[in-house]
Amino acid sequence: QLQLQESGPGLVRPSETLSLTCIVSGGPISTNGHYWGWIRQPPGRGLEWIGAIYNSGNLHYNPSLKSRVTISADTSKNQFFLRLNSMTAADTAIYFCAKSGGGADTIEYWGQGTLVTVSS
Amino acid sequence: QSVLTQPPSVSAAPGQKVTISCSGSSSNIGSHFVSWYQQLPGAAPKLLIYQNDKRPLEIPDRFSGSKSGTSGTLGITGLQTGDEADYYCVTWDSSLIAVAIGGGTKLTVL
């Protein structure tokens, strides 16, 4: 059974860069055709897709975040990463990592999510 | 502001049926599959429906999906109090070259 677990700081200062890791167990992230992505959810609000990496290096990003986001992966560690720079209070959210198969929109597996608060 | 429009809330009595709509355009629902997710309070979303009308094995057949033109619909029959959750539609958008997620619909089982 595939499992995903987010890891990273719970508090980030304004203007700093958020770095999150998704630790994947139960299957390789190197499998072609699978998307490894990030979705976030501000408190009390809806889901927002951030982006995904697939086929070991191809990327898609949400256009509204593209200038600030970098997603990467380390297949040797079976982990993938999110970096979001120039953080503001509007970036306060629960960040989920997720795996899609058969299309980036078919999100089969989700991490439990990690709350990131932007505050000084 | 999402490119997919869902009603903010729906409600129905236990045992009844409810439908949740998801309206898009030719660049998203009109040319791509729709999937649906259930998010119970305090939990991560869970895949309910993929490729418009397919259910993962563990999802009961009380949940169904359909697509017509640029709209998708999630149906839930035999409503239970445990179905109270937020529901999201998701698809690919060819213009955005990104995944699009609807604003979410809160289901209340009265």
Side-chain angles (χ1 to χ4, degrees), chain B residues 1-25:
Chain B
Q1 194 81 347
S2 177
V3 296
L4 303 179
T5 301
Q6 298 181 233
S9 63
V10 295
S11 62
Q16 297 300 303
K17 174 181 178 178
V18 72
T19 60
I20 298 173
S21 61
C22 178
S23 177
S25 68

